[in-house]
Amino acid sequence: MIKLTGVTKTYQSRDIKTHALIDIDLEIDEGEFVVILGPSGSGKITLLNVISGLDRTTTGSITFRGKELTGLSDSEMTHFRRQHLGFIFQQYNLLQNLTVYENIQVGAEIGTDPLDIDELLAKIGLEKMRNKYPSQLSGGAQQRVSVARSLAKNPAIIFCDEPTGFLDEENSKNVLKLLQDLNREYKKTIVVITHNLGISEMSDKVIKMNSGRIIEVTINETQKNAQDIQWGKGSDLLCCRKM
Amino acid sequence: MLQKNVMRDSRKKWMQLAAIGIIIILSSLTYSMMFYGISGIEEPTESYLEDYNQEDFSVEMLNTVTEQEAQDPEIANVLSEGSFSLSDIKKTDTELFMRLMDNRIKAFEQQIPETNLELRQYKVAYFDWNGNSHTALIAKDAEQINRSFIEQGRKPSNISELALNKIYAEKNNIEIGNSFVLGGEEYTVTGFVLFPDYTLPVFDDSFNFDAALKPLVLLSDSAYEQLNAQERFRLAGSTLDGSAIDTAFDKEQLPFINQILATENTTRSGAIYRKLDEGKTMSLGLSIFIAAIAVIIVSIMIFNLLHAERSQIGILKALGYTGRKSLFLTSSQYPGSLSSCWLSAICWAGLLLNR
């Protein structure tokens, strides 16, 4: 589905060059649940940004279903994101003036084949909260709305940046279960960036990063249910061996 | 959905929006009121100055006769009697003085055609009033150029009457019908007068423009001639085609001239124009100042809004909204639109002023 070949990303500030990504080769298949693990500064977010077209690569190639993305203009990239990508971030960033239903509608409005909002509300368990404003919801509920907003336009792939970063264990597992259900029921490709090693137990593929490189790719033969993962298991990546 | 978000957001930010609106209205009002206020003065002033034929220029003359003029036997005779200044010559032989002035006017009109000149005769008298030293300018009523304008009452018609300028009268509590002593003579005030060539009371060497100490006075012709005060003369001129006068002149051909002054460059007659221009500039400056404050406030608001909604804008862009739509979905378009409106208003104001 997504293929990265020889991708590098270098930031330059005056005379200082920072190599955020170094020679990344990676393939994410259709319908996969992928977890990218790594400590701060390892390049996880840069990797997510270049895969999703939020940032440009310095060198290398990225293809989506065979289509080259690196040459697209900004407006073409915006169109591509609108068509195929969904995002869930650590901060929910819901529009405070809109209700739960309307926030999900914001996501649905730009999709060409959007999902039914009522169905989504039922899925995230917030049917009764549909007319509430974000400030009237808990963090977990807000993140679920954020997931629904991202999913509403019916994207092929959903990128999640620390989706449970601000949530307690119970709410986190609820959100993760939602993501797992999306992956299993709707066959959505999910890419999760996290520090939490426990989340990797529910994925198909685990990509470990350090210092801008992929140091290990693990394929899980079996995936744990979201509710069964070991919570709070910190990553210990610096000691991981290189591939 | 975008509109819904914007409407709800604007309801929440009504106070900020109202504040910007008030500043914009204040700015426009200040400009409009001051501009129309000044226009309200400008139009009647210009109309009065035109109707009463304000001089386009003045010719400051030597107060003595030139060598060439002294060749005239009659003038030479007067000079031999010890009358050297123009005022002395006038006292000695008024007819001769008038002929001398006619000759000067003819010489000028010959050298600088398309002009019309009239002798301006005036006296300056010093007197004390309520313990203060006052200086009065008594102008002889002109026939063509710088004609006196009676804004209230009537012109003095006999030897014991006079008219004063109104501002002096008001500042000194003088009313029509009151007595006024000048040059040792007592007069009855019959009206309030204006002279087009004295929009500002400048008629001596001092820089004191205090209207309360400097009356402009109109006497009947006979009273003027009898008044014992220092008399001065100049030529008041107007151009026949309304064009600006060239103040350069041939000194050899016109040796009696000290200088030619265009009205717009003369304080006593042209001050009003500068005051009107200053007023216009002030009105524009003040509204720009108020509007500049509005711009600063709007800029700060935009900065704060963008800063506060940075994450939301980022999320929306990531979802696939264009940058413009993301901005619209947040509320940053409001101050932007308002500042655009304001800038347009200022541009219009500038255009109007330069029209």
Side-chain angles (χ1 to χ4, degrees), chain A:
Chain A
M1 186 183 203
I2 295 177
K3 190 174 181 184
L4 287 79
T5 312
V7 169
T8 61
K9 177 68 187 176
T10 306
Y11 295 103
Q12 182 150 10
S13 172
R14 293 189 179 173
D15 297 335
I16 302 163
K17 277 187 177 179
T18 307
H19 300 286
L21 294 177
I22 304 164
D23 201 21
I24 301 288
D25 293 314
L26 175 67
E27 209 163 324
I28 297 170
D29 295 324
E30 200 94 39
E32 258 189 337
F33 194 118
V34 179
V35 168
I36 302 175
L37 283 172
S40 297
S42 61
K44 313 185 292 291
I45 292 171
T46 309
L47 180 64
L48 182 140
N49 285 345
V50 296
I51 295 174
S52 59
L54 292 174
D55 203 351
R56 299 274 180 184
T57 59
T58 305
T59 59
S61 153
I62 301 173
T63 59
F64 176 81
R65 291 176 178 163
K67 185 183 178 182
E68 180 64 47
L69 298 182
T70 41
L72 296 182
S73 65
D74 285 346
S75 60
E76 286 170 330
M77 210 63 216
T78 301
H79 184 73
F80 165 74
R81 280 199 301 274
R82 191 184 306 159
Q83 293 283 96
H84 303 289
L85 308 188
F87 290 88
I88 298 161
F89 294 95
Q90 189 170 5
Q91 288 167 317
Y92 330 121
N93 286 313
L94 300 174
L95 293 169
Q96 298 299 311
N97 298 315
L98 301 181
T99 62
V100 166
Y101 186 90
E102 289 163 346
N103 262 290
I104 299 170
Q105 221 174 349
V106 167
E109 271 181 357
I110 53 168
T112 49
D113 181 25
L115 298 177
D116 184 79
I117 298 173
D118 289 312
E119 261 183 50
L120 274 171
L121 277 169
K123 186 79 195 158
I124 61 172
L126 291 175
E127 306 104 304
K128 288 179 184 171
M129 303 276 194
R130 57 183 291 141
N131 293 323
K132 299 270 187 195
Y133 287 91
S135 57
Q136 297 171 300
L137 303 179
S138 68
Q142 286 192 56
Q143 187 61 301
R144 279 185 280 160
V145 176
S146 168
V147 172
R149 177 179 63 182
S150 181
L151 191 66
K153 65 177 181 178
N154 200 9
I157 181 164
I158 298 172
F159 292 98
C160 314
D161 178 13
E162 295 284 6
T164 58
F166 286 159
L167 303 179
D168 58 21
E169 182 176 349
E170 188 188 345
N171 275 311
S172 294
K173 285 186 173 177
N174 285 338
V175 170
L176 290 171
K177 183 177 181 308
L178 185 59
L179 291 174
Q180 198 165 44
D181 291 347
L182 292 174
N183 175 247
R184 287 175 179 171
E185 289 173 31
Y186 295 96
K187 302 297 175 199
K188 300 290 177 194
T189 306
I190 310 278
V191 179
V192 179
I193 285 179
T194 183
H195 281 95
N196 194 330
L197 205 54
I199 297 175
S200 64
E201 293 171 355
M202 54 185 277
S203 68
D204 299 308
K205 188 186 279 177
V206 182
I207 298 165
K208 291 183 180 173
M209 293 190 70
N210 199 8
S211 303
R213 295 177 192 275
I214 292 176
I215 54 170
E216 188 180 314
V217 176
T218 311
I219 308 292
N220 288 335
E221 294 301 321
T222 55
Q223 293 80 36
K224 283 189 180 176
N225 288 328
Q227 300 295 348
D228 300 331
I229 61 171
Q230 198 176 343
W231 192 250
K233 199 174 170 185
S235 61
D236 188 15
L237 294 159
L238 292 175
C239 63
C240 291
R241 65 178 172 80
K242 283 190 176 181
M243 283 179 74

